[in-house]
Amino acid sequence: MEEHFVLRVPPSVAERLDRVLSESCMPLDDNSIDLSFQEDGRTGTFVIGNDRFPAALLDLPCVVESYKTYDDTVLIKSADIGQIIMVREEGDPAPDCFEYRHGLTPPMRDARRRRFRREPDLNPELVQKVENDLINIMSGGSAQDVDIL
């Protein structure tokens, strides 16, 4: 399998990046693209031409499958994408954690909160009591502290 990632850039950078990738006759100094990360492997810098933009590597809330085709009829799975490189403008705030809250499409907005809720806190004594009652019932007895009407 190949290694893939999603690169999300601001609209102004997207237009410029599209121009650089589609036209190969641009001057060489304005045609350079670079992405470098610091030692932590999560923060870095995206360079296009002479402009530098801060970037961060974030984990997506769920894995996205990537497919490719050679004949426009058969799709072949090429990778599982689990991370996104988020490029932001210089003044925009940095992400506070390395887990991206949202997915790639509008239905996955705020997916971490809606789909992956915290498990409720259970009282360990209550769990142990219910477990013992179930063992008693399975062995032919009855649950303790229960009145049968």
Side-chain angles (χ1 to χ4, degrees), residues 15-33:
E15 294 170 4
R16 189 168 172 196
L17 186 61
D18 187 41
R19 272 197 323 264
V20 167
L21 293 176
S22 63
E23 299 174 7
S24 60
C25 61
M26 292 184 71
L28 196 58
D29 60 341
D30 195 40
N31 206 11
S32 65
I33 300 171

Side-chain angles (χ1 to χ4, degrees), residues 36-44 55-57 98:
S36 59
F37 287 97
Q38 297 174 357
E39 282 111 29
D40 65 355
R42 291 290 189 158
T43 57
L57 179 68
F98 294 115

Side-chain angles (χ1 to χ4, degrees), residues 10 13 45-46 51-55 87-94:
V13 178
T45 306
F46 179 75
D51 297 328
R52 303 172 81 78
F53 299 94
V87 178
R88 60 187 192 281
E89 295 285 347
E90 191 65 41
D92 292 346

Side-chain angles (χ1 to χ4, degrees), residues 17-102:
L17 186 61
D18 187 41
R19 272 197 323 264
V20 167
L21 293 176
S22 63
E23 299 174 7
S24 60
C25 61
M26 292 184 71
L28 196 58
D29 60 341
D30 195 40
N31 206 11
S32 65
I33 300 171
D34 185 38
L35 178 64
S36 59
F37 287 97
Q38 297 174 357
E39 282 111 29
D40 65 355
R42 291 290 189 158
T43 57
T45 306
F46 179 75
V47 179
I48 182 166
N50 295 327
D51 297 328
R52 303 172 81 78
F53 299 94
L57 179 68
L58 306 174
D59 295 330
L60 288 170
C62 56
V63 176
V64 178
E65 294 180 346
S66 172
Y67 293 90
K68 65 181 174 183
T69 181
Y70 295 110
D71 58 0
D72 292 332
T73 56
V74 177
L75 293 175
I76 302 168
K77 182 178 175 181
S78 58
D80 287 331
I81 303 172
Q83 294 179 318
I84 182 172
I85 297 176
M86 185 75 68
V87 178
R88 60 187 192 281
E89 295 285 347
E90 191 65 41
D92 292 346
D96 51 345
C97 66
F98 294 115
E99 291 182 348
Y100 192 53
R101 284 180 34 193
H102 312 295

Side-chain angles (χ1 to χ4, degrees), residues 61 101-102 109-118:
R101 284 180 34 193
H102 312 295
R109 181 129 186 100
D110 207 13
R112 287 228 187 253
R113 183 183 59 82
R114 291 187 304 126
R115 288 192 166 77
F116 305 108
R117 295 187 182 127
R118 248 185 89 220

